Amino acid sequence: MRINDVILRTVVRFVVFIILTLAIYLFFAGHYSPGGGFIGGLVIASAFVLLYVTFDIEKVKKGIPVDFKKVAALGVFLAVGTGFGSVLFGVDFLTQAAKKFHIPLLGEKELGTVMLFELGVALTVVGVVMTIIVSIAEGDGD
Amino acid sequence: METLMILLIGVLVSVATYLVLSRNVIRVILGTAVLSHAVHLLILTIGEVKKGEAPLLGNQTADGPYTDALPQALILTAIVISFAVTAFVLVLAFRAYKTNGTDDLEKLRGDEYD
Amino acid sequence: MTNLMAMPLVLPILMAVLLIFLRNYRYVQRVLVVVTLLVMIGMSIVLLQHVHTDGILRLDFGGWQPPFGILFVADPFAVLLVLIATIVTLFCMVYAFSSFSARYERMFAYPLMLLMLAGVNGSFLTGDIFNLFVCFEVMLLASYALIALGGRTEQLRESLKYVITNIIASWLFLVAIAFLYGTIGTLNMAHIAQRVQEVGSDPLITTIALFFLIVFALKGGLLLFFWLPGSYSVPPVPIAAMFGALLTKVGMYAIIRTFTLMFTAQPEITHQLITIMAIITLIAGSLGALAYRDIRQIAAFNVIIGVGFVLLALGANNEAAYAGAIYYMMHDMVGKAMLFLICGTMIYLTKQERYDDMSGLIRHYPLFGWMFLVVMVSLTGMPPFSGFVGKVMMGEGLVASGSYVSLAIGFGASVIILYSLLRVMLHAIFGETMIADEDKVKLPKPMLLSIVVLGAVSLYLGTSAEMVLPYVTDAARVLADPSIYIEAILGK
């Protein structure tokens, strides 16, 4: 017997986008205030998990056709790669740079290579969390 | 505040020890998770729990006591690591349960012919 | 230039990530692995030369000056171990090329092995105690995955115990770090050493030192080795060889590093205790090596004997003993990798695990049989192989400090190693052959090649001692006199 989950399905469609927006906010807030790649990544992963809980795995896989192991790998690559970038410029490993930019509509904002590092962390977290949850849910895989 | 924290850490460690010593794999894993929370609190307590200014460069206007930021950085790292390890062990325990057909550590000893 | 120091950690991680994307291209993976490891070996040699001429180097991550930032320190001891670890990994990988099935290669075995190497190298190079914890965890996470890879029943059973033991040990590590930070207020190893020297012999610091000793003893298999034989005998051969060669060495390195640099105030308690633990380890390891007939167990107990022998040096606490310990550690990495590979190959060839079920391997595989002789002679510590130099220097150091009990037991254990391996040799290698000509399993060339090359490395370390010795004595000088290390980090 299928359980009646109309409310869940309807609510999730909206809530997922709210969660993803929150994740993006947290990610960018992490520069000088609480937030950052790790938390942002976890929140994104929680949105995905909500999708998995509401709809069945096959359907979500069709919607988000990514191999989460590769997402995690890409994340690690970005995070370590930013450190490697500083080697190319001849400064100490992992040295970060930041510069103020004028962005239309947003005004004066500081952008730094830390952002790329944090993006790497976020991707790693999403990848690892989703890999683990999916592999437990499917009952096989590695 | 410190005394309260120390008491809490003590309670957590005793609970965790009880869990780790049980025969059920899941309880052992929960025990290790509680242990890691206890040590995070310990690091926080040892870095002196007090309210102070954020120790940022360019924040010279505030001349109050500054909070030591290092324990928080350590805790964040430790949380990430313990999160990864716990997640991995959960998967491992699940797989071990499926292949060995038991979650009882007494039965996972290995036979005497090994 | 100093960025070269980060490479033994960064290169394997980057390459491991790249290999995950190349999951289905087995041959590309193999080529990339070999090229990466060769490049790393080259870099380590350059770095070693550099450290030899210019003294200890440091790399401040992100430009944060010590004692505030995290840093890597390239002292001769660390760089020598990085070099040998990379060489050993290369040949374990070459062996793996012919022993791994395609299924294993698709399950990220190579990336995980590279990640483990990254963790090992990071642990050797780091100059920050919390960073040491992080590198330990990188190494351990990779090893958790490697030990369970394949998912056979006994693998999952043993891995669960291994993982839980190590989680508890890591927890103790964090507790020790918390107490240390609360007492000393810094995490930079050189800075800790400086402050401990200022405080003098403080019972609180000695207690913390004992905490660290428990942690590293668990990881290095010093006395607390109950988890080791079980978990080292379940993974596939090349992975077991990497475990036997590298994992305990990291624990030993951490003990030697912390107790020569940081916790030197009360040697009559800490160093004495380490000596007692080392002696018990030697005796227990010897008994284990004699008791078992399963050759993987014999190999595992040989690892334990090696741990005990190296850590006798801390009791002697002089330059000759440290030089011996460093030389012996380098030798032990090569020798143990070779021993595990040979034992694994014997099981592969005969499908038996107990040596009394095997016989006459030398008839079909003459070169392989001689390699067993090489590894036996090398591990026993006879010339012209590498164990000899280390044992002689260690003996000199122990005599100089008057620790005759350690000396007797350390060298007695060598006889036990000889006996335990000689038994295997007489039964399994010599004697009537049990394999009929038509049942003969072909021994793949890469397997034999990696064993032979490791034997050659051992021979090189033994015969060209005068080439290697300047670096080793350099390293030993730093261990015997921590002020050189502190000066190099905080002086500039």
Side-chain angles (χ1 to χ4, degrees), chain A residues 1-120:
Chain A
M1 195 187 98
R2 275 186 60 85
I3 45 165
N4 185 352
D5 54 356
V6 178
I7 295 178
L8 186 65
R9 281 163 184 272
T10 326
V11 170
V12 160
R13 270 177 213 171
F14 297 101
V15 167
V16 160
F17 287 99
I18 298 173
I19 296 177
L20 287 178
T21 321
L22 175 72
I24 292 167
Y25 165 74
L26 280 173
F27 176 76
F28 282 106
H31 208 61
Y32 281 127
S33 42
F38 183 71
I39 303 172
L42 274 182
V43 175
I44 294 177
S46 72
F48 286 164
V49 171
L50 195 57
L51 283 179
Y52 275 106
V53 170
T54 320
F55 308 100
D56 51 350
I57 287 188
E58 280 72 35
K59 207 167 179 181
V60 181
K61 269 197 175 155
K62 233 181 272 167
I64 317 170
V66 260
D67 182 354
F68 284 107
K69 288 193 202 78
K70 291 191 174 163
V71 174
L74 184 69
V76 176
F77 194 79
L78 264 183
V80 183
T82 47
F84 209 74
S86 57
V87 175
L88 299 181
F89 288 103
V91 284
D92 280 342
F93 181 69
L94 274 177
T95 305
Q96 307 287 351
K99 201 168 183 271
K100 284 210 158 82
F101 288 98
H102 188 79
I103 302 170
L105 295 178
L106 293 175
E108 198 86 338
K109 288 283 165 193
E110 197 177 70
L111 286 180
T113 50
V114 176
M115 219 75 220
L116 282 174
F117 182 82
E118 290 282 320
L119 185 65

Side-chain angles (χ1 to χ4, degrees), chain C residues 105-408:
Chain C
E105 290 184 317
R106 280 171 45 83
M107 278 197 303
F108 309 117
Y110 299 138
L112 286 170
M113 283 162 94
L114 282 177
L115 279 179
M116 190 165 106
L117 178 67
V120 169
N121 283 344
S123 310
F124 288 150
L125 285 170
T126 187
D128 181 286
I129 194 98
F130 192 76
N131 199 226
L132 181 67
F133 167 76
V134 175
C135 288
F136 256 104
E137 289 303 309
V138 171
M139 168 186 97
L140 287 173
L141 262 175
S143 77
Y144 298 159
L146 279 173
I147 201 170
L149 203 63
R152 284 182 296 122
T153 318
E154 71 268 26
Q155 271 183 320
L156 289 172
R157 192 183 69 215
E158 292 301 329
S159 64
L160 212 50
K161 296 177 213 164
Y162 172 76
V163 173
I164 290 170
T165 314
N166 271 302
I167 290 176
I168 305 284
S170 299
W171 176 75
L172 273 174
F173 198 169
L174 270 181
V175 173
I177 287 175
F179 284 146
L180 185 69
Y181 184 69
T183 325
I184 305 282
T186 176
L187 291 171
N188 180 309
M189 284 168 27
H191 202 204
I192 294 171
Q194 200 183 34
R195 290 203 174 163
V196 170
Q197 275 178 8
E198 283 163 10
V199 176
S201 60
D202 180 4
L204 195 57
I205 292 173
T206 307
T207 315
I208 295 168
L210 293 181
F211 246 106
F212 276 105
L213 179 61
I214 297 172
V215 175
F216 295 143
L218 256 171
K219 311 252 176 187
L222 173 69
L223 189 58
L224 307 171
F225 56 75
F226 51 88
W227 54 271
L228 194 146
S231 44
Y232 278 23
S233 51
V234 287
V237 184
I239 294 173
M242 266 184 87
F243 277 27
L246 303 183
L247 287 189
T248 51
K249 301 299 174 297
V250 179
M252 285 148 75
Y253 168 82
I255 292 181
I256 294 179
R257 178 60 84 207
T258 45
F259 284 89
T260 55
L261 179 66
M262 285 151 48
F263 305 120
T264 50
Q266 284 192 306
E268 70 276 10
I269 297 176
T270 49
H271 291 48
Q272 197 67 38
L273 189 64
I274 294 175
T275 311
I276 295 170
M277 286 167 83
I279 289 175
I280 301 176
T281 311
L282 276 169
I283 296 172
S286 303
L287 290 178
L290 291 179
Y292 282 93
R293 279 163 200 279
D294 182 333
I295 52 175
R296 289 176 307 182
Q297 296 276 358
I298 295 177
F301 277 101
N302 267 302
V303 170
I304 293 166
I305 298 178
V307 175
F309 188 77
V310 169
L311 292 173
L312 287 178
L314 278 169
N317 205 5
N318 56 29
E319 204 179 310
Y322 286 132
I326 295 165
Y327 214 102
Y328 197 81
M329 263 174 93
M330 291 161 59
H331 144 77
D332 206 45
M333 282 163 123
V334 178
K336 290 291 142 59
M338 200 175 158
L339 180 65
F340 271 87
L341 290 183
I342 285 183
C343 289
T345 314
M346 286 165 75
I347 294 171
Y348 167 78
L349 292 174
T350 58
K351 312 274 182 296
Q352 303 291 336
E353 284 164 9
R354 292 156 62 92
Y355 68 82
D356 39 9
D357 294 338
M358 312 174 184
S359 175
L361 282 171
I362 199 161
R363 222 192 94 141
H364 290 300
Y365 314 100
L367 183 55
F368 177 72
W370 288 113
M371 288 330 282
F372 193 92
L373 181 72
V374 167
V375 79
M376 183 179 79
V377 172
S378 168
L379 285 178
T380 316
M382 284 194 264
F385 293 99
S386 49
F388 177 66
V389 190
K391 280 209 167 136
V392 167
M393 284 193 291
M394 178 76 99
E396 270 175 33
L398 289 173
V399 169
S401 73
S403 356
Y404 295 108
V405 182
S406 307
L407 185 73

Side-chain angles (χ1 to χ4, degrees), chain B residues 9 16 21 23 26 36 41 49 51-52 65 73-75 103 106:
Chain B
I9 294 164
L21 291 177
R23 286 163 56 169
I26 292 296
S36 72
L41 279 180
V49 197
K51 280 189 179 150
L74 302 186
I75 292 169
D103 63 347
E106 285 283 316

Side-chain angles (χ1 to χ4, degrees), chain C residues 469-488:
Chain C
L469 265 182
Y471 304 105
V472 174
T473 42
D474 249 19
R477 200 175 316 120
V478 177
L479 292 186
D481 182 7
S483 61
I484 302 175
Y485 189 97
I486 299 171
E487 184 67 24

Side-chain angles (χ1 to χ4, degrees), chain C residues 404-478:
Chain C
Y404 295 108
V405 182
S406 307
L407 185 73
I409 292 178
F411 281 67
S414 308
V415 180
I416 305 283
I417 296 179
L418 179 65
Y419 177 67
S420 71
L421 294 178
L422 197 60
R423 269 190 325 172
V424 179
M425 173 129 181
L426 290 180
H427 259 96
I429 305 289
F430 291 151
E432 279 296 305
T433 182
M434 53 170 265
I435 307 171
D437 281 331
E438 57 267 25
D439 294 341
K440 187 180 155 186
V441 186
K442 203 169 164 299
L443 180 59
K445 285 260 162 30
M447 285 193 182
L448 196 58
L449 174 82
S450 46
I451 293 173
V452 171
V453 176
L454 283 177
V457 172
S458 174
L459 187 64
Y460 174 80
L461 283 176
T463 49
S464 323
E466 64 273 22
M467 287 271 292
V468 189
L469 265 182
Y471 304 105
V472 174
T473 42
D474 249 19
R477 200 175 316 120
V478 177

Side-chain angles (χ1 to χ4, degrees), chain C residues 42-75:
Chain C
M43 283 176 163
S44 311
I45 292 173
V46 173
L47 194 58
L48 187 61
Q49 261 322 317
H50 231 300
V51 174
H52 187 54
T53 48
D54 300 351
I56 298 174
L57 297 172
R58 65 160 216 258
L59 166 64
D60 309 326
F61 282 177
W64 294 90
Q65 298 286 315
F68 302 111
I70 292 173
L71 76 169
F72 265 20
V73 179
D75 81 322

